[in-house]
Short mmCIF file of all heavy atoms in Angstrom, two decimals:
data_model
loop_
_atom_site.label_atom_id
_atom_site.label_comp_id
_atom_site.label_asym_id
_atom_site.label_seq_id
_atom_site.Cartn_x
_atom_site.Cartn_y
_atom_site.Cartn_z
N LEU A 698 120.87 83.19 86.15
CA LEU A 698 119.93 83.69 85.13
C LEU A 698 119.48 85.11 85.44
O LEU A 698 119.38 85.96 84.54
CB LEU A 698 118.73 82.75 84.99
CG LEU A 698 119.00 81.32 84.52
CD1 LEU A 698 117.71 80.65 84.05
CD2 LEU A 698 120.03 81.25 83.41
N GLU A 699 119.22 85.40 86.71
CA GLU A 699 118.78 86.76 87.07
C GLU A 699 119.87 87.78 86.74
O GLU A 699 119.59 88.87 86.26
CB GLU A 699 118.39 86.82 88.55
CG GLU A 699 117.00 86.23 88.80
CD GLU A 699 116.59 86.23 90.26
OE1 GLU A 699 117.45 86.48 91.13
OE2 GLU A 699 115.40 85.93 90.53
N SER A 700 121.12 87.39 86.99
CA SER A 700 122.22 88.34 86.73
C SER A 700 122.44 88.61 85.25
O SER A 700 122.82 89.70 84.86
CB SER A 700 123.56 87.80 87.24
OG SER A 700 123.52 87.50 88.57
N ILE A 701 122.23 87.58 84.43
CA ILE A 701 122.60 87.74 83.01
C ILE A 701 121.41 88.08 82.12
O ILE A 701 121.59 88.31 80.92
CB ILE A 701 123.28 86.46 82.45
CG1 ILE A 701 122.31 85.27 82.55
CG2 ILE A 701 124.59 86.16 83.17
CD1 ILE A 701 122.63 84.19 81.56
N GLU A 702 120.20 88.11 82.69
CA GLU A 702 118.98 88.26 81.89
C GLU A 702 119.09 89.41 80.87
O GLU A 702 118.82 89.24 79.68
CB GLU A 702 117.78 88.48 82.82
CG GLU A 702 116.45 88.48 82.10
CD GLU A 702 115.27 88.50 83.08
OE1 GLU A 702 115.48 88.83 84.27
OE2 GLU A 702 114.15 88.20 82.64
N GLU A 703 119.52 90.56 81.37
CA GLU A 703 119.55 91.75 80.52
C GLU A 703 120.56 91.58 79.37
O GLU A 703 120.23 91.83 78.21
CB GLU A 703 119.95 92.94 81.40
CG GLU A 703 119.47 94.26 80.89
CD GLU A 703 119.95 95.37 81.81
OE1 GLU A 703 119.84 95.24 83.05
OE2 GLU A 703 120.48 96.37 81.26
N VAL A 704 121.76 91.14 79.71
CA VAL A 704 122.80 90.96 78.68
C VAL A 704 122.35 89.91 77.68
O VAL A 704 122.53 90.06 76.46
CB VAL A 704 124.12 90.49 79.34
CG1 VAL A 704 125.18 90.20 78.31
CG2 VAL A 704 124.62 91.51 80.32
N TYR A 705 121.78 88.83 78.19
CA TYR A 705 121.33 87.73 77.34
C TYR A 705 120.28 88.22 76.35
O TYR A 705 120.37 87.96 75.14
CB TYR A 705 120.77 86.62 78.22
CG TYR A 705 120.42 85.35 77.49
CD1 TYR A 705 121.40 84.40 77.22
CD2 TYR A 705 119.12 85.09 77.06
CE1 TYR A 705 121.10 83.22 76.56
CE2 TYR A 705 118.80 83.93 76.39
CZ TYR A 705 119.79 82.98 76.14
OH TYR A 705 119.48 81.82 75.49
N ASN A 706 119.31 88.95 76.87
CA ASN A 706 118.22 89.39 75.99
C ASN A 706 118.66 90.46 75.00
O ASN A 706 118.01 90.66 73.98
CB ASN A 706 117.03 89.86 76.83
CG ASN A 706 116.33 88.66 77.48
OD1 ASN A 706 116.45 87.53 77.00
ND2 ASN A 706 115.63 88.90 78.58
N SER A 707 119.75 91.14 75.30
CA SER A 707 120.21 92.14 74.33
C SER A 707 121.18 91.52 73.30
O SER A 707 121.71 92.20 72.45
CB SER A 707 120.83 93.36 75.02
OG SER A 707 121.87 92.94 75.86
N ASN A 708 121.42 90.24 73.40
CA ASN A 708 122.24 89.50 72.41
C ASN A 708 121.42 88.35 71.84
O ASN A 708 121.58 87.19 72.26
CB ASN A 708 123.51 88.93 73.08
CG ASN A 708 124.56 89.99 73.36
OD1 ASN A 708 125.32 90.37 72.48
ND2 ASN A 708 124.57 90.48 74.59
N PRO A 709 120.50 88.62 70.90
CA PRO A 709 119.55 87.60 70.45
C PRO A 709 120.21 86.33 69.87
O PRO A 709 119.58 85.28 69.81
CB PRO A 709 118.71 88.31 69.38
CG PRO A 709 119.35 89.63 69.15
CD PRO A 709 120.28 89.92 70.27
N GLN A 710 121.48 86.44 69.49
CA GLN A 710 122.16 85.24 68.96
C GLN A 710 122.25 84.14 70.01
O GLN A 710 122.30 82.96 69.68
CB GLN A 710 123.55 85.60 68.39
CG GLN A 710 124.62 86.01 69.38
CD GLN A 710 124.59 87.51 69.75
OE1 GLN A 710 123.56 88.16 69.62
NE2 GLN A 710 125.69 88.04 70.24
N PHE A 711 122.26 84.52 71.29
CA PHE A 711 122.33 83.51 72.36
C PHE A 711 121.05 82.67 72.36
O PHE A 711 121.09 81.44 72.39
CB PHE A 711 122.51 84.16 73.74
CG PHE A 711 123.87 84.77 73.97
CD1 PHE A 711 124.03 85.88 74.79
CD2 PHE A 711 125.01 84.22 73.39
CE1 PHE A 711 125.29 86.43 75.01
CE2 PHE A 711 126.28 84.76 73.61
CZ PHE A 711 126.42 85.88 74.42
N GLU A 712 119.91 83.36 72.37
CA GLU A 712 118.63 82.65 72.42
C GLU A 712 118.47 81.79 71.15
O GLU A 712 117.99 80.66 71.21
CB GLU A 712 117.48 83.66 72.55
CG GLU A 712 116.11 83.05 72.77
CD GLU A 712 115.92 82.39 74.14
OE1 GLU A 712 116.81 82.47 75.02
OE2 GLU A 712 114.86 81.74 74.31
#
Side-chain angles (χ1 to χ4, degrees):
L698 297 196
E699 282 178 349
S700 304
I701 61 156
E702 187 172 17
E703 205 182 314
V704 176
Y705 187 84
N706 288 337
S707 56
N708 285 279
Q710 70 275 23
F711 289 149
E712 186 69 6

